[in-house]
Amino acid sequence: MYSKFRKAAFRAASSVLITIVLTTGIFSPLSISTAGNNAPTAHAASVVDKKKDDHTYRIVAVGDSLTAGYEYGFTEQSIPYGFVEHVYEQALFHGLRAEYINYGVLGLRTSGLKRWIQAVVSGASVKSSDIQSGLPDPRAERIFAETSLLRSALSEADLIVMTIGGNDLYAVLDKLNKGADHAETIAVLDKALDTYETELEPALRLLLSQQPNAQIIIADQYLPIPPPLKVGSLIFPLYPEADRLFLKDSIKQLRERLNQIIERLVKEGFNVKIAKVSSSFIDNELSFTSIAKGDIHPSRAGYAAMGKSFSKAIWGDYRIVKPRAKDSEAALAIVVNGKEMISANKPMVVQNRTFVPLRSIADAFGAATKWNAAAQTATIKVADRAVDITVGQSSFRENGTVKALNAPPAFIHTVGKASTLYVPLAALSEGLQFQVIYRDTLKTVFINK
């Protein structure tokens, strides 16, 4: 029993690193977001035009299946929530008017990445076979056909995030799986490490040639090598201990090569850092990946851990909202310019639209307010922008211009002797030209200038 279980686990770990095609297709194509995911309670801001707004923080993700956010069992209908999405949310938490685009390709190796970025720089049109033969990603042709769009995105990028290198070690895992001894496998490992270093550094330099002021964060490599499984008083090693140590050392050497590359670039003045994701997976392999099901890709918990590592490398912290009650109204959090809005009067959802207490949101915006009791009209001003909202009316004024209200009218909510004016968040934010993003994953509305 032990022998069959161990061999099956080892076979799974060594094969699924690259063989990840699903018979039902792969999850959604390029993830492009300026609006968050499925905004049921706050109307999202329209796509930001770079020419109109120079304050947008642009995130570009490029790399392999971990960048794509692939999880075990994903299909074309699946919506990724990988480390890239966590990085995007953290940008919003830090008060940045952010958007992101994801060019993760399943099965991509470092050599393929370099060829792709060379095509980006040269402006060449490429096919999947020009980049890397045998890619298991059915979206590959469509993605590489949009190489010119990647060029444009990179030229405007503030942040580039990346995972690459795991597929480079496939040959090493394949050797071990076929029973090769370590002396023979070392030669394969050395070749893989040399290829990784000689291909990755020029790829990063080419990326920086497109946008030298961008910050690049690249992850080190994790490999799920679970410790022996304990069942009662019995212990079942999932890997031969010698192979386990060999694979651990392989990852260590890959990290050393990455360190050397980054050190050289930093000395030249480039803003390049490593996201230390591998340490998070140690002793968490079974919960942070799907290796128990034969797939080494991260689970949601694993991608969250990666997101924390990236965020700490970028901003030095990882932010969350305060714990909330589970009822539908109080569960919604609002974060304005990186600061959570805390108010005794909670947001309300009316006909699938978010309403907020005027006084609380105005204070969060740093806005000046004026209340005309006779007209039942509130005026909210930020810099040269002014919004007039009248209780019960289906329109509002934006700098004097009447606009239709894409929400129920403002209303006064009375509890006992206390009355609170509630206004539609979308209209107020739109009129004051704030970006509004709703993240259903966090049940949080982000509002940024």
Side-chain angles (χ1 to χ4, degrees):
M1 176 181 174
Y2 150 69
S3 177
K4 290 181 179 178
F5 182 50
R6 183 188 69 190
K7 289 180 180 177
F10 186 72
R11 267 199 309 274
S14 61
S15 63
V16 298
L17 186 62
I18 191 167
T19 310
I20 48 183
V21 179
L22 301 177
T23 56
T24 54
I26 301 296
F27 66 101
S28 59
L30 301 184
S31 301
I32 307 173
S33 177
T34 58
N37 47 350
N38 302 331
T41 59
H43 179 68
S46 57
V47 175
V48 179
D49 188 335
K50 180 74 170 179
K51 295 178 182 178
K52 296 179 181 178
D53 185 348
D54 293 329
H55 301 293
T56 303
Y57 184 78
R58 287 174 166 79
I59 303 168
V60 178
V62 60
D64 55 24
S65 56
L66 300 189
T67 296
Y70 177 86
E71 292 180 52
Y72 172 73
F74 262 20
T75 69
E76 286 187 287
Q77 287 71 46
S78 301
I79 299 175
Y81 187 36
F83 81 85
V84 177
E85 284 70 32
H86 283 273
V87 169
Y88 168 62
E89 289 174 348
Q90 288 299 302
L92 298 174
F93 263 118
H94 284 81
L96 297 171
R97 190 171 183 140
E99 63 182 38
Y100 77 98
I101 186 166
N102 192 331
Y103 283 90
V105 178
L106 281 64
L108 189 68
R109 297 192 296 268
T110 310
S111 55
L113 173 69
K114 189 184 81 168
R115 284 190 285 271
W116 191 12
I117 304 306
Q118 284 175 330
V120 168
V121 173
S122 66
S125 297
V126 292
K127 298 180 294 184
S128 178
S129 58
D130 298 324
I131 302 302
Q132 184 178 314
S133 62
L135 279 169
D137 195 332
R139 310 166 305 151
E141 292 296 350
R142 181 166 68 255
I143 293 174
F144 294 131
E146 297 181 351
T147 294
S148 61
L149 298 180
L150 174 56
R151 177 189 176 99
S152 177
L154 289 171
S155 70
E156 298 180 348
D158 297 289
L159 172 66
I160 301 170
V161 293
M162 177 190 303
T163 57
I164 198 73
N167 295 307
D168 294 31
L169 295 179
Y170 176 72
V172 177
L173 292 165
D174 189 48
K175 275 288 185 183
L176 291 174
N177 187 42
K178 292 177 179 178
D181 59 32
H182 290 179
E184 182 182 353
T185 309
I186 284 174
V188 178
L189 173 62
D190 288 342
K191 181 179 179 181
L193 292 173
D194 289 342
T195 300
Y196 173 78
E197 183 174 4
T198 57
E199 301 287 88
L200 179 59
E201 183 166 353
L204 293 176
R205 290 185 180 278
L206 287 167
L207 283 171
L208 290 164
S209 73
Q210 296 301 286
Q211 180 49 273
N213 295 321
Q215 181 181 32
I216 296 182
I217 307 293
I218 180 170
D220 61 4
Q221 186 61 45
Y222 83 87
L223 186 63
I225 311 170
L229 180 66
K230 295 181 179 180
V231 181
S233 60
L234 300 177
I235 298 178
F236 298 95
L238 303 183
Y239 291 82
E241 187 60 20
D243 286 347
R244 194 165 181 264
L245 293 175
F246 184 89
L247 291 172
K248 278 190 170 183
D249 186 64
S250 301
I251 295 301
K252 180 181 178 182
Q253 291 186 56
L254 193 76
R255 171 61 187 266
E256 290 172 350
R257 299 291 185 106
L258 179 58
N259 284 340
Q260 293 168 9
I261 294 171
I262 300 305
E263 286 174 4
R264 288 192 287 268
L265 293 172
V266 169
K267 284 182 179 178
E268 295 177 29
F270 294 112
N271 188 2
V272 185
K273 294 181 181 179
I274 299 174
K276 301 176 182 179
V277 306
S278 59
S279 58
S280 300
F281 284 79
I282 296 174
D283 295 332
N284 291 308
E285 292 89 350
L286 293 177
S287 59
F288 280 11
T289 75
S290 297
I291 191 171
K293 301 175 182 177
D295 190 298
I296 66 172
H297 287 88
S299 61
R300 285 288 165 104
Y303 277 122
M306 291 181 68
K308 290 180 182 178
S309 297
F310 270 90
S311 181
K312 288 178 180 179
I314 301 164
W315 295 288
D317 63 12
Y318 184 83
R319 300 183 180 182
I320 59 174
V321 294
K322 290 180 170 57
R324 292 159 284 173
K326 293 183 179 180
D327 63 271
S328 60
E329 294 179 3
L332 183 68
I334 296 178
V335 178
V336 181
N337 294 327
K339 185 176 180 180
E340 185 175 357
M341 188 183 83
I342 304 297
S343 172
N345 298 304
K346 303 299 182 183
M348 293 186 184
V349 177
V350 180
Q351 296 180 26
N352 208 33
R353 289 292 184 266
T354 301
F355 280 72
V356 289
L358 175 63
R359 178 59 60 189
S360 298
I361 195 66
D363 289 346
F365 281 175
T369 60
K370 183 179 179 180
W371 172 247
N372 184 325
Q376 294 280 281
T377 298
T379 300
I380 307 97
K381 295 186 66 175
V382 175
D384 60 346
R385 308 291 304 177
V387 172
D388 300 298
I389 297 181
T390 301
V391 172
Q393 285 195 2
S394 59
S395 62
F396 69 102
R397 290 182 178 272
E398 178 185 322
N399 277 11
T401 301
V402 177
K403 291 192 172 185
L405 195 61
N406 185 25
F411 62 90
I412 295 176
H413 180 64
T414 302
V415 178
K417 295 181 179 181
S419 296
T420 303
L421 175 62
Y422 274 80
V423 296
L425 177 59
L428 182 60
S429 301
E430 177 186 337
L432 297 176
Q433 294 190 344
F434 281 75
Q435 179 199 45
V436 180
I437 302 293
Y438 174 74
R439 293 296 289 175
D440 187 57
T441 49
L442 301 175
K443 295 294 185 290
T444 298
V445 178
F446 294 93
I447 306 169
N448 292 314
K449 289 183 179 180

